[in-house]
Amino acid sequence: MLELRNITKHYGARPLADKLSLQVAEGEIVALLGPSGSGKSTLLKIAAGLEAAEAGSVWFDSEDISRQPPERRGFALMFQDFALFPHLDVRDNVAFGLVEQRVAKAQARQRAELMLERFGLAAHTRHRVWTLSGGEQQRVALARALITAPRALLLDEPFSALDAALRLDLQTEFRERIFEAGMATVLVTHDETEARAMATRGLRLVAGHLQQLW
């Protein structure tokens, strides 16, 4: 279970988190909604270790990981710009996290090919990522996130750069893949329709506090 305990964070005098607590169970997708600037992305960064809270702590499976660097937390992040590496082909983009974990490159590539086959991307294995469509690039990004079997998945507006029809298709696919992987997942979005399509629980961040939506 991923937990934020009594997190406090301000932007100037404005509270982004005011002694805020959140629990996300294994296999659960929790959506965080709210307007731009409300602090949703900041909470993700605090959970990931990319930004420090002023007070409070981050826990995973009853262990305080607040002082662990991002690479030791075992979480995967996905952003709206996909963050793929243009100098690598599709296979090596997916294999990247495994190579960083010191898996032999040949083995990492083999596992990446199997993952790409599951995602219907086997024909694009050796293509450069910039030759793919937006939806294909997002599938590559999800494959790269899942291949390392992360303990938690943090999604920051992952579909905002895509057209409406493609967003609907990918929401269903992502939900199925995440449930299949069984990891704690936090989805940041401003779109309540998207949140309800994907999440098992929805919360709105208002003035540093979370309000239950469903």
Side-chain angles (χ1 to χ4, degrees):
M1 177 179 290
L2 172 63
E3 297 180 77
L4 302 181
R5 298 185 182 179
N6 298 312
I7 297 294
T8 297
K9 183 76 173 181
H10 289 79
Y11 181 74
R14 181 165 58 89
L16 300 179
D18 184 8
K19 296 182 179 178
L20 179 153
S21 294
L22 172 66
Q23 294 184 339
V24 186
E26 183 177 310
E28 183 180 26
I29 303 175
V30 172
L32 293 182
L33 294 106
S36 296
S38 59
K40 305 184 303 297
S41 296
T42 298
L43 282 183
L44 275 197
K45 291 175 182 177
I46 289 172
L50 298 174
E51 194 163 327
E54 294 160 16
S57 54
V58 180
W59 294 68
F60 194 89
D61 284 352
S62 302
E63 178 188 4
D64 186 349
I65 61 171
S66 305
R67 297 193 178 188
Q68 288 185 5
E71 63 272 15
R72 289 193 55 205
R73 297 192 182 193
F75 299 168
L77 284 80
M78 285 184 59
F79 301 99
Q80 57 186 309
D81 61 358
F82 312 150
L84 298 174
F85 302 116
H87 63 289
L88 299 179
D89 63 23
V90 169
R91 180 183 62 182
D92 284 347
N93 263 277
V94 175
F96 180 82
L98 294 175
V99 174
E100 288 291 290
Q101 292 178 349
R102 299 187 179 180
V103 175
K105 182 172 284 190
Q107 183 183 353
R109 284 175 166 174
Q110 185 177 36
R111 287 169 60 180
E113 288 172 1
L114 291 173
M115 181 68 78
L116 288 166
E117 187 173 344
R118 286 174 56 197
F119 277 65
L121 293 166
H124 300 291
T125 300
R126 303 305 301 276
H127 293 176
R128 295 293 179 180
V129 291
W130 46 265
T131 67
L132 275 57
S133 69
E136 289 166 342
Q137 289 185 45
Q138 194 63 306
R139 287 187 180 93
V140 172
L142 180 60
R144 185 179 66 181
L146 296 184
I147 198 170
T148 57
R151 302 196 298 173
L153 180 62
L154 308 174
L155 305 172
D156 193 357
E157 301 277 7
F159 310 116
S160 62
L162 306 176
D163 64 60
L166 185 54
R167 283 204 303 271
L168 289 174
D169 288 343
L170 286 179
Q171 286 162 17
T172 301
E173 181 173 350
F174 270 47
R175 180 184 171 96
E176 291 173 355
R177 300 289 185 185
I178 290 166
F179 283 151
E180 180 183 284
M183 68 190 71
T185 300
V186 181
L187 167 69
V188 161
T189 180
H190 65 276
D191 185 337
E192 186 168 340
T193 301
E194 177 175 283
R196 289 185 179 275
M198 291 190 64
T200 48
R201 185 156 50 103
L203 305 165
R204 188 181 302 280
L205 182 57
V206 179
H209 298 277
L210 291 173
Q211 301 174 349
Q212 185 87 35
L213 295 176
W214 71 88

